[in-house]
Amino acid sequence: MELILALGIGVLTGSGVWLLLRPRTFQVIIGLSLLSYAVNLFIFSTGGLRTGAAPVLQQGTAGDLSTYADPVPQALVLTAIVIGFATTALFLVLLLAARGLTGTDHVDGREKDR
Amino acid sequence: MPDALLLLTAVGLPFVGAIAAGLLPTHARNAAAWMAGGVALVGLALLWAAYSTVAAGGVLRHEIDWMPSVGLNFILRMDGFAWLFAGLISGVGALVILYARYYMSAEDPVPRFFAFLLAFMGSMMGVVLSGNLIQIAFFWELTSLFSFLLIGYWHHLAAARDGARMALTITATGGLCLFAGMLVLGHIVGSYNLDVVLASGDRIRAHPLYLPALILILLGALTKSAQFPFHFWLPHAMAAPTPVSAYLHSATLVKVGIFLMARLWPVMAGTEAWFWIVSSAGIATLLLGAYAAIFQHDLKGLLAYSTISHLGLITLLLGLNSRLAMVAAIFHIINHATFKASLFMAAGIIDHETGTRDIRRLSGLNRFMPFTARLALVAAAAMAGVPLLNGFISKEMFFAEALSAEGPLPPLIDILPVAATVASAFSVAYSLRFIHGAFFGPDPVDLPRKPHEPPSWMRFPVEILVLACIIVGLLPAATVGPYLDMAAHAALGTATPEYSLAVWHGFNRPLLMSLLALTAGVVLYLLLQEYLAKGVEGAPLIRRLDSQRLFERALVFLSWRLARTAEGLLGTRRLQPQLRLVVCVAVLAAGWAALLRWPGPGNLIPAGIDPVLALIWAIGAGCALGAAWQAKFHRLAALILLGGTGLVTCITFVWFSAPDLALTQLLVEVVTTVLLLLGLRWLPKRLDLPGTRAAEVLTRTRRLRDLGIAVAAGAGMAALAFAVMTRVPPELLAEHFLERAYTEGGGTNVVNVILVDFRGFDTLGEITVLGAVALTAYALLRRFRPAPDSVDVPEQQRAQSAYDIAQPERRDGDTVADWLLIPSLIARLLFPIICLVAMFLLLRGHDQPGGGFAAGLTASIAMILQYMLGGTQWVEARLRVLPLRWMGIGLLLAAGTGLGAWAFGRPFLTSYFAYADLPVLGKLPMASALIFDVGVFALVVGATMLTLIALARQSLRGHRASAPRPADPPALPPPVSAPTPPPTPTPAQTTMGDD
């Protein structure tokens, strides 16, 4: 299980980094999204992988780690997902504005001299 | 009156007055003047109240704990020396305020002027009354700042702006040096308390860090007091309104450097270094200033150089390491303030009543303003050191000191009397030039205004100051004697030397020097008549010694050339290398850390591989790789593949017990996809230029390198993740939250309770960020100009349009109108249902997966679905979303819930919960955190909608910008673009907002 997820995180990171280094803004935005999946999964995995132990308590009881998964990484990742959405939106708008201003979708704001 | 109140009022009242004056309406000239004058008079009254204590040798003190842990306290102290300076600040301040009331024009925003002036007065009070080194440096910088604002008051004039900027650059840089020097001094002494510092002179002078501290502090003092070679900012500061010059450049700002040197004199003076630096700066300034003053054609310029020269005189006295010279210095501080302030005011009156300050144009004003002429005559005579006036007495003391000085530098000591006489002769010459040039000679011709006497209240401050010059000059011991005694006593410490304040000391060498200087000055002026009449700018011989040009050059070099060179060497404007560097450093740093301390294999045996999950992740990894592969030329495909990876992530969250995450991820996935789809329309078409062979090779190499980096990063991340997951996770906070989620937070969904309750403050910050991001996106899109090739109607719409026109039974736009008719009908029917789901998610969030974030995203999806399928115009005719209002309400609700806790005496964001038993519905949780969550919900809806709608609207804007052109022949459609509304121009709103 751990191996699958670790490999998955690795592939997402690799694809993300590759796209991050590409010259087109759209590639970078996709790369950032892939990278944020990887990071979110990684943070989430630090709490340990548990199945069937969602941190939703029984009414009127206190929980403990033997029955429930660690809620802290989950709370962190929840926040990260929403902020990730916001940064994607901001980056997209910047990308469009830069394309309008410079006439190119190259990340440097101008085409490379060929 | 208690010391504390007195001192705090003396420093604080001007600042309060400044704020009050700043709030007055722009033309409330009289109200502002009354207020400022009142503040200055209160200051004087406070000093009068303090006099009895201070005169008896006492010190008023007040100490407030500031940072007691590091031994820093806010200390105010007033001894005799500070009292004298505070008196100058308040007294001259009151006179300047009265003068300024008549000087300033009704068109100027006068309340702002008085606000700056009062704030400056407060900063000056702060410097002289501070009992703590750091505090002195702080108020010191405040005086630089407010003098900048005052000098630049007429900011529509380029000269004012340049002068202000130069003054700030020089004095604030000096202030930074001073701050550093104060830190070193505090380090030497081990305390920043001024009393402690003043008591440890021997320790300071013997310390190895004495010289650095001295140089740094003197850099501050000498720049502020316009000493050579930093003197050049002062003449440029004359672009300020004249009351400012009269105040800043006679009594206050430039004297504050002198004040500091005198204040630290007992502990820092007495060494050879002090003598060298201070007296040589002083003597150079004294001579250069006096010499340059003779050749100025601007009345204020003349006074400015004369001020520089007199400051040099005082500095020289301080540098002589003699107690008696110190007394003379303090005496001259008072005298210079009186005659120079009155002369500045007289110059201002001339400027005000004639319209010019140019000596070459002025003449014979004596017949038009006889009273002012006589006042100026007396003040100028005091400046020249004519007997029976105050300037004479302090000058005599200076001569006596020059004759009896001792020091480590015999040549300097030898030329001192000569230099003193020469400088004095120069001062006679420029004083004569001031009076003779402006008031005598033939009637003036061609003046901008017809000269006449000023209003009597405008002259009143000059009268008071000139009266002081005469009385002190006649009866020095009876008038200024006790104050001087008190100040000198306080400044020197215990021992005050014997000195005599008298007009007549018999026929001695100083008197001889005075007579010599007077004669020489008159002769010099007569000899220079012809040269001066030519009206050449600048002083001969030293014209090339232009520190201002050096300053400008240095500024250009530092702020432009050096910066550009550094940027060229170290920076790049290209994003790719930057990102590559960031990624490489991250990979290398992580790899290095891993090599250094590899923790070994984990202590947890990995669980067996579930084939279903393995299959899911095979798909996920394939999607990610595919997205990476296709993102350049097949954007839509990449987007779909990205969505696939997102779904796999989502399933992983469900698999490993994180329903909240899965829910949020799914919803975010939807919204992000819509967002990116909306963006696709504005991106350029495939650009596949054939490159040269060499370029091909280069590109291939670059790709290989990037592939290497990517593989390294991916492998590293996989290894790291595996290492982390095969360890027993630390418990840390988990137990804490699991135990208290229900018992203290009142909710069973622990993740949600953490977000809205335990870590509510973080969430508040997060939604604020979300709002800020949405506003930024909105603002950017308001100014959005699409690239020319994206402005047209999308190709497939053009094809549809062409089809419509070609068919006889169809009209243009029919196809677009029918676009996705059935899905849009379904979406309309779904709208209330999705909204209901959103409400359900919101309300149950505290106990079950859901919550404000998820509900907000769901509600946004309900709306965005309508936009997508119905078209922007169709939706906005029926449903008006006001995203800004949603966001505002959301933030207010969330912050208000937090503040509500204060009403119950609890800390910010403390939550309250109870279960209400309602009929029919049963037992419902009623936590205050729910209101907070509603705030989160509203903000998420607002922020998401603001961004999405702003983006969706761009297509409308684009079409309006250019009328649709005749359709091109149908071509292959590009990868789908966002569904856009029909291209018919309509009077839809151009901006989006609540109003």
Side-chain angles (χ1 to χ4, degrees):
Chain A
M1 293 299 237
E2 283 80 0
L3 189 65
I4 297 175
L5 192 56
L7 286 175
I9 291 173
V11 171
L12 293 192
T13 311
S15 315
V17 167
W18 162 261
L19 283 175
L20 212 57
L21 301 176
R22 294 299 89 215
R24 302 290 151 188
T25 43
F26 189 75
Q27 291 173 305
V28 177
I29 204 170
I30 297 282
L32 276 178
S33 300
L34 285 176
L35 206 54
S36 68
Y37 291 144
V39 172
N40 284 347
L41 283 170
F42 174 69
I43 297 176
F44 169 68
S45 72
T46 55
L49 300 180
R50 307 270 297 270
T51 44
V56 177
L57 307 176
Q58 292 294 311
Q59 281 277 352
T61 55
D64 63 78
L65 266 180
S66 57
T67 5
Y68 298 104
D70 189 344
V72 178
Q74 296 197 18
L76 289 176
V77 171
L78 189 82
T79 314
I81 291 173
V82 179
I83 287 287
F85 161 67
T87 46
T88 308
L90 186 64
F91 184 62
L92 178 79
V93 171
L94 269 177
L95 176 168
L96 296 179
R99 152 106 172 109
L101 274 177
T102 61
T104 168
D105 68 335
H106 197 285
V107 286
D108 298 342
R110 59 190 170 88
E111 290 296 329
K112 208 166 257 149
D113 306 318
R114 281 169 185 266
Chain B
M1 192 180 215
D3 292 4
L5 186 61
L6 193 150
L7 290 168
L8 285 174
T9 316
V11 176
L13 189 65
F15 288 109
V16 176
I19 294 170
L23 293 176
L24 286 174
T26 321
H27 294 293
R29 179 153 80 133
N30 288 328
W34 274 113
M35 191 184 283
V39 169
L41 290 178
V42 169
L44 279 177
L46 291 174
L47 292 175
W48 179 72
Y51 180 67
S52 55
T53 318
V54 177
V59 178
L60 275 71
R61 288 179 59 88
H62 182 57
E63 203 163 329
I64 303 169
D65 277 356
W66 176 25
M67 282 189 277
S69 51
V70 289
L72 269 183
N73 282 340
F74 184 84
I75 307 171
L76 292 175
R77 75 190 277 286
M78 188 198 282
D79 60 3
F81 186 54
W83 186 91
L84 182 78
F85 253 89
L88 277 180
I89 294 161
S90 304
V92 180
L95 295 174
V96 163
I97 288 162
L98 176 60
Y99 176 80
R101 157 64 187 83
Y102 291 93
Y103 179 87
M104 299 306 287
S105 140
E107 283 98 63
D108 288 322
V110 180
R112 202 181 56 177
F113 174 82
F114 283 115
F116 291 162
L117 196 77
L118 283 178
F120 175 78
M121 188 189 276
S123 325
M124 283 298 303
M125 283 293 202
V127 174
V128 299
L129 296 182
S130 286
N132 174 317
L133 296 183
I134 305 289
Q135 211 181 312
I136 292 179
F138 170 73
F139 281 112
W140 180 285
E141 291 289 42
L142 275 191
T143 63
S144 296
L145 192 64
F146 286 114
S147 69
F148 166 77
L149 291 172
L150 281 168
I151 295 169
Y153 173 70
W154 282 324
H155 51 73
H156 53 279
L157 303 177
R161 291 196 301 269
D162 290 346
R165 198 194 47 180
M166 189 187 284
L168 182 71
T169 314
I170 301 287
T171 56
T173 312
L176 285 179
C177 294
L178 175 80
F179 183 45
M182 291 299 206
L183 290 177
V184 178
L185 189 60
H187 171 74
I188 295 174
V189 178
S191 165
Y192 293 108
N193 190 329
L194 188 62
D195 289 306
V196 182
V197 173
L198 288 179
S200 29
D202 293 331
R203 184 189 174 134
I204 293 170
R205 281 184 293 262
H207 200 276
L209 283 174
Y210 165 74
L211 196 61
L214 178 72
I215 289 172
L216 286 169
I217 289 174
L218 284 181
L219 271 176
L222 296 180
T223 48
K224 198 80 157 185
S225 285
Q227 295 299 295
F228 180 82
F230 310 113
H231 61 282
F232 56 92
W233 67 265
L234 187 67
H236 288 274
M238 290 300 129
T242 303
V244 173
S245 311
Y247 193 42
L248 266 61
H249 309 128
S250 71
T252 51
L253 179 71
V254 292
K255 292 277 173 65
V256 80
I258 305 274
F259 168 82
L260 189 75
M261 286 193 274
R263 182 89 272 181
L264 295 177
W265 194 89
V267 293
M268 302 213 75
T271 60
E272 289 192 12
W274 174 276
F275 178 85
W276 268 83
I277 303 173
V278 179
S279 59
S280 41
I283 198 163
T285 316
L286 169 68
L287 284 169
L288 272 177
Y291 176 68
I294 305 175
F295 299 96
Q296 299 301 311
H297 300 302
D298 178 6
L299 286 178
K300 278 177 78 180
L302 187 152
L303 293 176
Y305 276 103
S306 141
T307 301
I308 291 174
S309 158
H310 279 274
L311 292 170
L313 190 157
I314 301 170
T315 307
L316 175 58
L317 281 171
L318 291 176
L320 289 178
N321 284 342
S322 132
R323 290 170 183 283
L324 215 49
M326 175 82 166
V327 177
I330 297 172
F331 189 30
H332 199 67
I333 289 171
I334 309 172
N335 293 337
H336 177 251
T338 50
F339 65 68
K340 194 50 64 67
S342 57
L343 280 172
F344 266 118
M345 289 182 191
I349 289 175
I350 293 172
D351 187 18
H352 201 252
E353 307 307 337
T354 68
T356 181
R357 302 191 310 242
D358 194 325
I359 301 176
R360 286 168 296 188
R361 295 180 70 185
L362 294 167
S363 108
L365 291 181
N366 188 28
R367 281 179 288 285
F368 299 93
M369 37 175 79
F371 212 88
T372 308
R374 274 155 192 75
L375 291 172
L377 179 68
V378 177
M383 175 162 79
V386 171
L388 301 186
L389 292 168
N390 59 355
F392 172 73
I393 303 169
S394 47
K395 198 183 64 180
E396 290 284 281
M397 288 169 89
F398 167 54
F399 284 163
E401 283 309 309
L403 286 168
S404 63
E406 291 166 12
L409 201 62
L412 186 69
I413 300 296
D414 291 341
I415 62 158
L416 209 50
V418 184
T421 316
V422 170
S424 183
F426 287 161
S427 84
V428 171
Y430 66 66
S431 303
L432 261 178
R433 175 134 203 264
F434 185 94
I435 294 303
H436 184 249
F439 293 108
F440 295 95
D443 279 359
V445 283
D446 185 28
L447 284 181
R449 269 175 235 149
K450 175 108 185 81
H452 57 83
E453 282 285 352
S456 58
W457 280 111
M458 187 171 177
R459 218 171 48 208
F460 180 73
V462 191
E463 289 163 1
I464 296 277
L465 289 167
V466 168
L467 193 67
C469 290
I470 298 173
I471 294 181
V472 172
L474 290 174
L475 298 166
T479 49
V480 81
Y483 305 110
L484 179 59
D485 217 34
M486 175 179 86
H489 187 89
L492 284 168
T494 44
T496 311
E498 279 299 314
Y499 64 94
S500 126
L501 277 180
V503 181
W504 180 251
H505 284 113
F507 198 78
N508 52 11
R509 285 172 70 190
L511 186 64
L512 194 68
M513 284 161 74
S514 271
L515 292 176
L516 194 65
L518 274 174
T519 324
V522 174
V523 172
L524 180 68
Y525 180 62
L526 291 175
L527 288 177
L528 282 173
Q529 281 290 315
E530 202 171 318
Y531 178 83
L532 290 172
K534 278 191 279 182
V536 189
E537 288 288 346
L541 301 178
I542 57 164
R543 201 174 285 133
R544 295 182 67 87
L545 191 77
D546 194 349
S547 342
Q548 185 213 341
R549 221 181 61 224
L550 289 176
F551 168 77
E552 296 285 355
R553 273 195 192 170
L555 268 197
V556 168
F557 176 73
L558 279 176
S559 67
W560 184 244
R561 289 212 200 116
L562 197 67
R564 287 297 292 266
T565 315
E567 197 201 352
L569 281 176
L570 305 172
T572 170
R573 297 195 168 194
R574 298 177 48 216
L575 187 70
Q576 267 186 298
Q578 292 178 22
L579 276 180
R580 193 176 300 129
L581 189 69
V582 169
V583 173
C584 281
V585 167
V587 170
L588 289 178
W592 191 44
L595 276 182
L596 273 189
R597 42 177 102 177
W598 179 248
N603 51 6
L604 213 95
I605 299 142
I609 290 174
D610 189 305
V612 179
L613 192 73
L615 183 67
I616 289 172
W617 263 103
I619 297 170
C623 282
L625 291 170
W629 186 258
Q630 294 298 336
K632 185 164 187 186
F633 291 130
H634 300 279
R635 299 192 186 112
L636 185 65
L639 196 52
I640 294 168
L641 291 169
L642 179 72
T645 317
L647 284 179
V648 169
T649 310
C650 190
I651 293 169
T652 313
F653 286 143
V654 178
W655 197 285
F656 294 115
S657 331
D660 269 291
L661 292 191
L663 187 61
T664 315
Q665 182 73 58
L666 186 68
L667 296 166
V668 162
E669 209 51 55
V670 175
V671 183
T672 310
T673 308
V674 172
L675 189 80
L676 291 177
L677 278 174
L678 285 172
L680 280 182
R681 187 210 173 304
W682 303 104
L683 290 172
K685 287 195 202 167
R686 176 168 184 161
L687 184 80
D688 204 6
L689 296 175
T692 58
R693 178 101 187 115
E696 283 292 316
V697 174
L698 204 67
T699 310
R700 198 158 298 219
T701 327
R702 210 166 40 224
R703 284 193 185 152
L704 270 176
R705 179 193 54 196
D706 289 351
L707 188 65
I709 299 174
V711 168
M717 198 64 184
L720 181 64
F722 189 72
V724 167
M725 280 185 272
T726 48
R727 277 176 171 69
V728 176
E731 292 183 4
L732 301 175
L733 293 162
E735 287 286 1
H736 172 90
F737 287 130
L738 283 170
E739 270 166 27
R740 289 173 177 73
Y742 188 81
T743 48
E744 291 179 19
T748 53
N749 182 359
V750 186
V751 175
N752 183 272
V753 174
I754 292 176
L755 285 179
V756 298
D757 190 341
F758 294 139
R759 306 296 305 157
F761 199 52
D762 293 355
T763 309
L764 185 63
E766 190 206 350
I767 60 171
T768 313
V769 170
L770 206 59
V773 166
L775 282 176
T776 314
Y778 172 55
L780 278 169
L781 284 171
R782 273 172 67 108
R783 294 258 172 272
F784 176 61
R785 294 282 170 278
D789 57 301
S790 306
V791 174
D792 282 340
V793 178
E795 265 177 46
Q796 100 234 63
Q797 272 189 30
R798 270 185 267 154
Q800 289 164 349
S801 195
Y803 173 76
D804 284 348
I805 292 166
Q807 306 292 318
E809 73 275 19
R810 295 181 75 93
R811 279 179 301 126
D812 187 9
D814 276 359
T815 312
V816 171
D818 295 344
W819 186 251
L820 291 179
L821 202 57
I822 295 169
S824 73
L825 188 71
I826 295 173
R828 249 168 258 168
L829 295 176
L830 274 177
F831 180 71
I833 300 169
I834 304 180
C835 285
L836 194 70
V837 171
M839 282 302 110
F840 173 66
L841 287 177
L842 173 65
L843 290 177
R844 76 171 204 164
H846 217 45
D847 285 344
Q848 294 292 319
F853 284 117
L857 289 167
T858 312
S860 307
I861 290 170
M863 287 184 243
I864 217 58
L865 212 54
Q866 309 307 314
Y867 269 84
M868 284 175 71
L869 294 167
T872 310
Q873 284 158 349
W874 184 88
V875 176
E876 287 182 357
R878 288 158 185 81
L879 171 73
R880 207 123 147 72
V881 191
L882 303 172
L884 291 177
R885 204 163 289 178
W886 278 91
M887 282 167 56
I889 291 171
L891 261 188
L892 283 178
L893 264 182
T897 317
L899 292 175
W902 280 351
F904 300 96
R906 298 298 180 84
F908 187 64
L909 275 171
T910 311
S911 76
Y912 168 81
F913 75 96
Y915 278 79
D917 236 333
L918 293 182
V920 186
L921 293 171
K923 206 172 167 192
L924 280 181
M926 303 289 280
S928 71
L930 180 66
I931 307 176
F932 183 82
D933 222 10
V934 172
V936 173
F937 163 77
L939 189 122
V940 170
V941 172
T944 316
M945 289 313 289
L946 187 66
T947 319
L948 288 172
I949 296 179
L951 207 50
R953 285 250 179 113
Q954 294 309 318
S955 45
L956 288 188
R957 181 199 286 249
H959 296 315
R960 251 179 280 115
S962 64
R965 288 190 306 192
D968 292 344
L972 274 179
V976 165
S977 103
T980 40
T984 34
T986 47
Q989 291 94 348
T990 47
T991 55
M992 182 179 61
D994 287 356
D995 307 310

